[in-house]
Amino acid sequence: MEDAATGTGRADVGELYAGRDDVVFVIDQSRCIGCNACVAACAECGTHRGESMIHLEYVDRGSTVQTAPMVCMHCEDPTCAEVCPADAIKQNEDGVVQTSLKPRCIGCSNCVNACPFGVPKYMAEIDQMMKCDMCYDRTSEGLAPMCATVCPSEALWYGTREEFTQRRQGQLLSDWDFGNAHITTKVATVVTDREPGPLDVLLGREPQFRWQDDPFALEGRG
Amino acid sequence: MATRPVTEEALVERYGPHLNLAPPGGWQRDGDEVDRLVRTHCCFCGQQCSLYLKVAGNEVVGFEPDYAFPFNEGKLCPKGVKRYLQGSHPDRLHDPLERDPDAPGGFRTVTWERALSRTVDEIQRIQERYGNDAFAMLSGVSLTNEKSYLIGKFARLALGTANLDYNGRLCMVSAGAANKKSLGIDRASNAWDDIPRAEVIYLAGANVAECAPITTSYIWRARDHGAKLIVQDPRVTPIARTADVFLGLKPGTDSALLGSVLHVLIARDWIDHAFIEAHTEGFDAAAEAVRDYTPAWASQVTGVPANRIFDAAELWGTSETGMLLHARGIEHQTKGVENVMACINLGLATGKYGRPGCGVTTITGQGNGQGGREHGHKCDQLPGNRDITNPEHRAYIADVWGCAESEIPGKGLTAQEIIEAIHADEIKGLLSICFNPLVSLPDTAHTRAALEKLEFYANIDFFLSETAQFADVVLAGSLHEEDEGTSTSAEGRVIKINQAIDPPGNARKDWQILLEIARRLGRGRYFDHFVSTQDMFEELRVASKGGAADYYGVTWQRVEDEQGVFWPCPEIGHPGTRRLYEGGRFYTPNGRGRFNAVSYRDPAEVVDDEYPIWLTTGRVVSQYLSGTQTRRIGPLVTQYPEPLLEIHPQLADRHGIADGDLVRVTSRRNSMTLPARVVTTIRPDTVFIPYHWAGAQAANQLTNRALDPVSKIPEYKVSTVRIERLGERRAVVDSRDTRLYTDANATSPRER
Ligand code: SF4
Ligand code: SF4
Ligand code: SF4
């Protein structure tokens, strides 16, 4: 495809991450501004046009504007695939867990129930499970996924680990414990230990007062 | 007579807003059919994000991110992602229309000959009978620089009217007036790449996350380097959530708060004496004005705890670098200009100008809000941000235009004043382009009555906006992607809009319509040399040369080659100006930045027993301005389908209101009904309504027409209301709303 205006199509930037094996998909909820650009853009993805596979939730709109985007975490040993009786969910050589194969999916929703992160969606109209496949049409060409490309806050971000450490604060976390189950994911979240919150019982600290607890100082604590 | 030819419902039935939920050809259309990618910019807000439009034949069918453009690096908000759905929209006007109460939908399709000759006849009739100034023009800053320039010249030399104004009047004029007065130039002080260099960022009345979303990434980048964040707003906006100091003030008390910050800076000697001495004037008067503005006093006025005011002053005053970004929250007030001057005082007092990571900047809201306020469709201004009352400036432009100076009319009325003049029978005819005053001006009933008084009203637009429903003649113009030209982003970066498709059907490019009217008015000699928009840019370059907004060194080729050029750019070899005021040199005649004494005064309307609650208005991220475009784009409408009343639980409790209940809100102007959203993220004495909707859903039914005395911006951000619970919701509030939900649920919306 040619760009009529400048003669430079997107092919020029298609090489961005091609052939790099140190790329990482990062979620940092603390940056999310709830704009829904990720949701809007996900529905433009080549493999599921018209449907978004990313969820955006308000944590509790009554008391905060905090929102939380949720993509497939692309587990190393994906539970959704393990429980699929029809062997419809495949993980490719890059570790991306893909949407169910249309001819195989029997719509049983085992995967929906099994995923610890609540990601796969059963779509009744097409009787098939669909989920984020990390924009495989884009990432396989070296492009960032749609949601991470557009995210104005870089709450969703895609790049190399080195770029991340140069550019950003916080540590990447991709190991999870759900009860006895230990899960390692391809997608990482950002954690920071700079400011232990009120739940830090181990250190025995008093919960710190933050202005967000009383934004308009109604209780007179400034 | 400019009235609705048929009922509003019948007009909506025929002309929308309807929802477009899928691209032409549907979602399954094969990607291989896309035959070209056209690099251009988003048609919405002042961030002017770069993107590629995917084009198949004469249709825009999708978008691709532009990773290479330095401002947004591929980032977009949901409006930018879905903007392509406005093309091939079922509501798009394909032909000129004439008002006809007997036609289905109230308008009949006419030929261009008929539409133009009727328009020209009416202009001539009105001007012969009542004088030239009785025919006014209203313009919009979604238009390119080229079109803005053309309109300035068209109104003055073709219509010969002084009464031309634009919808930037509802946006950045307070900042513009304060900047010119204090600093001698009206532009953002810095390119945005200075934001990550700042140690402290102060947001005053700027809901950055929803109104300028890409700016959040610059702020987070600053925070990655350890920057502190101060936010001044009556609501906890998404960016405020993470602030280090949150100043949750009462609407309309910004200058008291900012004055108190200056008071603390002086009291603690956190000011830059050397900078003040060498590069500014007027400090003593500004200091005197805030002598009594202690945090304790300001706390009483603003409702912000004194210790937070002190903390803000300490962060701002003790940081080596800092940027203060302000927006409509402080500017949409009868004290808009003073509020901005109070911000500038903080920058001057601490020497935060002209260095990396230092500046005080407005975040331009509208797409070409910056360029649009420089090249001549403001009532008091000529190209290059020249002053229409200055004889030298007039003579220079007369020379460029090849007319006698006396042919250029004088200063005209501002947008809201034009509405008042229609009521006063001084203005009888109106031509408007890309401006939807019925939704965007305050006190909607007053605006509607003015439209109905007009003897003739012609409208150039691509959808039948709520205001266009009142037109006698509608001239089907062009969408953003149907023409080329430049615009100037919030940063002051001149960028290139490229044409992706041709106007559909018999619709025409806006400038071709204007040129034809000029010719028919017998004024072709001033316009006939324009055969492309590039010709207009070439003339604009010369017209701006030596002016406050100097574009002379900017060319279309440079804009393409250099990913935009920052003005001022006085010569072809000049690199452009990314950061203003380097070396402490301001653009005032003596090169010094001017402090202004800002004393606090009350808003135009204050709470009392009858109207005890503050009302403030603003945007949501999925909608843009009066919603003419975005209320037709399905995914954006489903994201936030209708206006909601944000209300604190304490206030809600007092009225027995639960989340989701229907509430009637009444101001001195009017009442409206809408569902409540009960949240602790707003002050308990204040309610908020977003303003993008029309008719029964329009927030501007309630707002006050009071104007800032200098900038003439209306006081959108502060009015007073009372509220009452009407009952549980789920009855739909507005007829349009019903349609929206029906359409959103339709399986195949485009077959409607
Ligand atoms: S990676 Fe692609 S498919 Fe997955 S949520 Fe993001 S946009 Fe959607
Ligand atoms: S695009 Fe980014 S900031 Fe916006 S909602 Fe999604 S994750 Fe949050
Ligand atoms: S509306 Fe503004 S922030 Fe959103 S994509 Fe368009 S230009 Fe960018």
Side-chain angles (χ1 to χ4, degrees):
Chain A
M1 281 187 286
E2 265 289 285
D3 167 21
T6 62
T8 57
R10 83 168 159 94
D12 286 15
V13 290
E15 312 301 318
L16 270 183
Y17 298 109
R20 306 282 289 265
D21 54 9
D22 54 344
V23 288
V24 53
F25 187 145
V26 171
I27 306 182
D28 182 349
Q29 318 278 6
S30 75
R31 293 187 179 221
C32 178
I33 54 168
C35 71
N36 266 288
C38 51
V39 176
C42 182
E44 300 293 329
C45 215
T47 45
H48 46 81
R49 280 196 91 198
E51 284 294 340
S52 175
M53 297 297 140
I54 186 167
H55 312 269
L56 179 74
E57 303 289 347
Y58 272 101
V59 171
D60 171 12
R61 183 61 190 95
S63 60
T64 173
V65 287
Q66 172 79 66
T67 40
M70 187 70 215
V71 295
C72 171
M73 301 300 285
H74 298 282
C75 308
E76 251 175 32
D77 298 308
T79 320
C80 58
E82 275 166 21
V83 301
C84 177
D87 202 17
I89 304 173
K90 296 289 174 201
Q91 189 178 25
N92 71 14
E93 61 278 14
D94 298 329
V96 170
V97 184
Q98 292 177 319
T99 277
S100 68
L101 293 164
K102 173 73 181 156
R104 291 194 181 187
C105 179
I106 55 172
C108 69
S109 296
N110 270 0
C111 53
V112 177
N113 297 326
C115 170
F117 300 101
V119 168
K121 278 205 273 187
Y122 171 68
M123 314 204 95
E125 315 86 76
I126 54 169
D127 189 27
Q128 187 191 351
M129 180 284 277
M130 291 192 78
K131 61 177 280 300
C132 156
D133 58 5
M134 216 194 264
C135 284
Y136 199 63
D137 60 329
R138 303 181 72 81
T139 45
S140 61
E141 287 182 26
L143 291 169
M146 266 295 194
C147 57
T149 297
V150 300
C151 176
S153 278
E154 298 183 4
L156 301 170
W157 184 87
Y158 187 84
T160 65
R161 282 178 185 272
E162 195 189 332
E163 281 173 331
F164 183 87
T165 24
Q166 277 169 7
R167 195 176 167 113
R168 303 267 292 251
Q169 285 195 357
Q171 288 99 51
L172 294 177
L173 177 102
S174 48
D175 287 281
W176 311 78
D177 285 319
F178 288 92
N180 292 331
H182 182 81
I183 291 173
T184 306
T185 57
K186 188 170 170 63
V187 176
T189 57
V190 181
V191 292
T192 164
D193 56 5
R194 280 183 307 160
E195 212 181 296
L199 291 180
D200 201 345
V201 285
L202 287 182
L203 295 174
R205 287 191 195 177
E206 284 292 303
Q208 275 181 327
F209 171 74
R210 304 166 318 144
W211 68 262
Q212 289 96 330
D213 300 330
D214 184 14
F216 302 102
L218 303 176
E219 287 150 39
R221 288 195 289 177
Chain B
M1 271 298 287
T3 56
R4 282 198 184 100
V6 292
T7 62
E8 191 181 357
E9 290 68 31
L11 283 159
V12 170
E13 170 77 30
R14 171 72 184 78
Y15 294 102
H18 296 108
L19 295 188
N20 195 14
L21 289 155
W27 291 112
Q28 300 320 319
R29 184 171 182 146
D30 190 347
D32 296 342
E33 289 173 34
V34 172
D35 43 49
R36 57 193 193 279
L37 284 172
V38 177
R39 199 179 83 160
T40 187
H41 292 263
C42 177
C43 57
F44 300 124
C45 86
Q47 310 276 289
Q48 292 287 283
C49 299
S50 179
L51 47 72
Y52 289 91
L53 292 177
K54 282 184 185 166
V55 185
N58 199 41
E59 292 179 318
V60 176
V61 298
F63 86 101
E64 267 298 321
D66 176 7
Y67 296 91
F69 191 72
F71 177 76
N72 62 307
E73 299 174 317
K75 299 180 183 77
L76 296 167
C77 85
K79 298 186 290 295
V81 171
K82 299 300 183 189
R83 62 146 286 174
Y84 76 90
L85 287 173
Q86 71 175 349
S88 306
H89 194 289
D91 294 342
R92 176 76 168 89
L93 301 178
H94 287 223
D95 291 280
L97 303 172
E98 197 169 31
R99 179 175 183 278
D100 178 0
D102 296 327
F107 287 91
R108 70 187 140 87
T109 300
V110 292
T111 61
W112 275 103
E113 176 54 38
R114 165 75 195 161
L116 290 166
S117 62
R118 167 102 195 271
T119 302
V120 169
D121 287 350
E122 292 280 0
I123 294 170
Q124 287 173 332
R125 182 185 66 76
I126 287 172
Q127 292 193 321
E128 272 160 29
R129 177 132 182 235
Y130 306 107
N132 277 6
D133 292 345
F135 198 93
M137 184 162 182
L138 288 174
S139 178
V141 290
S142 51
L143 301 170
T144 56
N145 290 321
E146 290 75 4
K147 288 196 250 181
S148 304
Y149 174 77
L150 175 69
I151 287 164
K153 187 174 176 183
F154 171 88
R156 274 65 179 246
L157 292 189
L159 296 177
T161 183
N163 292 324
L164 160 71
D165 207 42
Y166 77 137
N167 66 6
R169 185 66 59 192
L170 320 179
C171 198
M172 293 83 40
V173 284
S174 292
N179 283 337
K180 273 194 101 170
K181 183 150 187 238
S182 307
L183 312 169
I185 192 171
D186 169 21
R187 204 207 85 182
S189 55
N190 310 61
W192 256 222
D193 53 14
D194 260 333
I195 297 174
R197 299 184 169 116
E199 283 171 32
V200 56
I201 292 165
Y202 190 149
L203 297 176
N207 180 4
V208 166
E210 297 195 80
C211 308
I214 310 306
T215 297
T216 50
S217 98
Y218 287 85
I219 294 171
W220 296 152
R221 264 139 69 186
R223 306 209 83 193
D224 279 334
H225 301 141
K228 300 289 186 193
L229 179 64
I230 304 166
V231 178
Q232 166 175 330
D233 204 297
R235 298 195 299 151
V236 183
T237 60
I239 195 99
R241 174 172 59 75
T242 67
D244 296 282
V245 178
F246 176 66
L247 308 166
L249 81 179
K250 281 184 203 158
T253 62
D254 300 270
S255 55
L257 183 61
L258 292 159
S260 184
V261 172
L262 181 60
H263 173 100
V264 177
L265 293 176
I266 295 168
R268 290 298 172 119
D269 202 22
W270 288 323
I271 56 177
D272 186 339
H273 294 279
F275 186 88
I276 293 170
E277 181 67 27
H279 302 297
T280 73
E281 62 188 23
F283 174 75
D284 292 342
E288 177 58 25
V290 300
R291 196 166 50 124
D292 301 327
Y293 290 11
T294 60
W297 170 84
S299 176
Q300 292 297 314
V301 177
T302 64
V304 177
N307 61 333
R308 290 197 199 175
I309 299 173
F310 182 87
D311 290 347
E314 183 174 23
L315 275 182
W316 181 256
T318 60
S319 300
E320 184 58 28
T321 57
M323 287 199 62
L324 192 161
L325 309 177
H326 53 83
R328 305 307 84 71
I330 67 161
E331 298 162 21
H332 269 170
Q333 297 187 21
T334 50
K335 296 170 288 177
V337 176
E338 289 167 19
N339 289 340
V340 175
M341 286 174 168
C343 291
I344 292 170
N345 286 348
L346 297 186
L348 292 174
T350 53
K352 288 195 174 59
Y353 273 111
R355 290 185 285 125
C358 286
V360 177
T361 279
T362 187
I363 306 174
T364 295
Q366 294 191 64
N368 193 25
Q370 181 67 54
R373 72 186 195 261
E374 295 157 4
H375 300 300
H377 51 181
K378 260 171 111 175
C379 67
D380 54 354
Q381 184 208 63
L382 291 170
N385 213 336
R386 288 184 159 86
D387 181 354
I388 203 164
T389 59
N390 179 319
E392 277 172 41
H393 292 188
R394 292 172 60 84
Y396 180 81
I397 295 299
D399 191 43
V400 176
W401 286 353
C403 65
E405 193 224 298
S406 58
E407 270 189 278
I408 301 176
K411 180 174 166 180
L413 298 172
T414 65
Q416 183 64 48
E417 289 171 333
I418 285 175
I419 299 297
E420 308 301 338
I422 297 171
H423 274 287
D425 282 328
E426 285 155 17
I427 288 176
K428 299 286 192 179
L430 179 67
L431 171 65
S432 74
I433 177 167
C434 294
F435 187 174
N436 193 9
L438 191 60
V439 179
S440 54
L441 284 177
D443 195 356
T444 312
H446 187 77
T447 311
R448 187 170 52 238
L451 290 173
E452 286 172 347
K453 284 195 81 172
L454 287 169
E455 287 186 14
F456 177 76
Y457 172 37
N459 178 297
I460 304 175
D461 224 324
F462 38 80
F463 293 125
L464 195 81
S465 72
E466 285 75 14
T467 309
Q469 292 176 354
F470 287 75
D472 296 287
V473 174
V474 181
L475 304 163
S478 47
L479 273 170
H480 196 257
E481 50 266 46
E482 294 165 4
D483 201 354
E484 68 174 337
T486 58
S487 82
T488 308
S489 74
E491 293 185 291
R493 188 197 297 258
V494 184
I495 54 174
K496 181 78 197 306
I497 311 297
N498 289 314
Q499 183 174 353
I501 52 170
D502 289 320
N506 293 315
R508 289 188 181 176
K509 291 183 179 176
D510 298 331
W511 58 274
Q512 289 168 336
I513 300 170
L514 292 167
L515 291 192
E516 186 56 29
I517 295 175
R519 257 175 234 134
R520 286 168 183 249
L521 286 168
R523 311 292 281 177
R525 64 183 176 281
Y526 297 121
F527 301 93
D528 283 342
H529 58 288
F530 292 141
V531 294
S532 71
T533 48
Q534 189 162 14
D535 296 336
M536 295 168 206
F537 190 80
E538 288 303 311
E539 191 173 296
L540 178 160
R541 288 180 52 222
V542 177
S544 74
K545 188 172 165 58
D550 196 334
Y551 278 48
Y552 184 69
V554 183
T555 63
W556 276 18
Q557 192 60 47
R558 280 193 67 184
V559 170
E560 289 286 23
D561 293 349
E562 298 168 31
Q563 304 266 40
V565 179
F566 290 81
W567 73 269
C569 182
E571 295 299 334
I572 298 282
H574 189 285
T577 313
R578 296 181 73 90
R579 183 184 302 121
L580 300 178
Y581 319 124
E582 286 189 316
R585 278 187 306 278
F586 293 88
Y587 290 77
T588 49
N590 66 2
R592 286 174 176 263
R594 287 190 199 125
F595 281 94
N596 284 281
V598 179
S599 304
Y600 175 71
R601 60 190 166 92
D602 277 339
E605 185 170 85
V606 293
V607 289
D608 57 17
D609 289 346
E610 220 184 327
Y611 298 97
I613 301 163
W614 298 104
L615 165 70
T616 192
T617 63
R619 297 208 222 170
V620 297
V621 66
S622 49
Q623 290 291 317
Y624 180 61
L625 301 188
S626 79
T628 308
Q629 288 156 284
T630 45
R631 279 186 283 115
R632 296 172 208 265
I633 297 177
L636 297 179
V637 171
T638 48
Q639 183 173 335
Y640 195 116
E642 58 184 341
L644 300 172
L645 177 82
E646 282 187 21
I647 179 171
H648 192 276
Q650 283 187 0
L651 184 57
D653 276 355
R654 246 180 283 144
H655 293 83
I657 295 165
D659 193 54
D661 282 355
L662 279 184
V663 179
R664 176 157 50 223
V665 187
T666 305
S667 77
R668 285 191 173 76
R669 272 68 55 188
N670 214 329
S671 291
M672 70 182 286
T673 299
L674 74 172
R677 170 181 266 175
V678 179
V679 291
T680 56
T681 50
I682 185 166
R683 289 185 60 84
D685 52 9
T686 303
V687 291
F688 169 84
I689 307 176
Y691 63 68
H692 312 282
W693 287 267
Q697 295 178 304
N700 279 324
Q701 295 173 99
L702 308 174
T703 48
N704 191 354
R705 276 184 282 127
L707 302 178
D708 179 287
V710 175
S711 67
K712 306 294 172 78
I713 204 168
E715 183 137 86
Y716 295 104
K717 290 292 185 278
V718 198
S719 40
T720 64
V721 294
R722 59 169 180 262
I723 58 171
E724 64 197 293
R725 178 180 185 270
L726 285 188
E728 280 179 31
R729 104 153 291 212
R730 267 0 279 198
V732 174
V733 179
D734 186 56
S735 61
R736 264 168 287 244
D737 207 20
T738 324
R739 299 189 51 78
L740 298 182
Y741 281 113
T742 317
D743 290 347
N745 293 331
T747 41
S748 178
R750 289 185 56 82
E751 285 166 22
R752 203 176 32 247

